[in-house]
Amino acid sequence: IDQWTCRFLVPRDTPEGNYFIEIIITDRDGSQERFSQPYTVDASAPDLEVRLLGDARRGEAVRVEAQQRFTEADRALHGPRRRARILSDVQRVRVEAESGETMMLRQVRPGLWRGSWQVPEDAPESVSLRTTAYDMAGNRGEQTLDVDITE
């Protein structure tokens, strides 16, 4: 078969960082194989830069873009060479308007997400869009973008 899966719990108070787990496989005949496998404890929320690509006009659609930022926590965990991989660890991005409308952004390349927001005809002069990003480790980061609505 040559495939196996293992899950283990990491204590909550384990500091973020890179670790190794020692794997010991014991065959039926009692012989053993030993492996060392790296893993990362990541408890930091993803950080996004959120912006509109154009003006938010009542009754019109405007593009929303979210770019994942490489944070100091990412740099400390993974070093500068793994930047491309880290910038793609966000699994989904959701944007919610004050009106309750929710839109899911679509990943267009690693670390970059886009979607379209239909500005309501009756939108006030200023609207807040709350963006929530979820990463592979289950961490959640939230941001609010205040948007001025133009005529």
Side-chain angles (χ1 to χ4, degrees):
I1 297 177
D2 291 332
Q3 292 184 358
W4 52 271
T5 301
C6 177
R7 297 184 71 102
F8 59 97
L9 297 176
V10 176
R12 287 192 186 274
D13 60 349
T14 302
E16 284 193 324
N18 298 303
Y19 299 89
F20 286 89
I21 185 170
E22 188 74 21
I23 301 167
I24 303 169
I25 300 172
T26 305
D27 291 331
R28 286 184 187 148
D29 65 3
S31 63
Q32 291 186 338
E33 293 181 60
R34 293 179 179 267
F35 301 93
S36 185
Q37 181 67 38
Y39 71 96
T40 300
V41 174
D42 175 7
S44 296
D47 185 27
L48 298 176
E49 177 184 344
V50 181
R51 61 185 164 269
L52 297 184
L53 303 179
D55 292 330
R57 300 181 188 279
R58 288 181 181 92
E60 295 183 14
V62 63
R63 205 163 230 176
V64 181
E65 182 175 270
Q67 174 78 47
Q68 187 174 4
R69 288 187 272 221
F70 191 62
T71 65
E72 287 304 315
D74 294 327
R75 196 169 279 108
L77 278 174
H78 307 290
R81 288 187 227 164
R82 290 182 54 195
R83 183 174 190 269
R85 179 171 173 221
I86 301 311
L87 286 179
S88 65
D89 78 340
V90 168
Q91 296 293 296
R92 60 191 166 112
V93 178
R94 183 185 75 215
V95 178
E96 185 176 348
E98 289 176 5
S99 62
E101 176 190 4
T102 299
M103 62 211 107
M104 298 302 292
L105 301 188
R106 182 179 57 84
Q107 187 175 25
V108 294
R109 68 173 192 255
L112 182 64
W113 300 75
R114 288 191 184 135
S116 183
W117 174 48
Q118 183 69 34
V119 181
E121 292 280 352
D122 61 349
E125 290 180 13
S126 181
V127 174
S128 293
L129 298 177
R130 187 177 69 198
T131 305
T132 307
Y134 302 86
D135 71 13
M136 290 171 44
N139 301 310
R140 182 178 77 191
E142 293 185 353
Q143 268 186 296
T144 300
L145 177 66
D146 294 321
V147 177
D148 292 326
I149 305 299
T150 58
E151 293 297 324

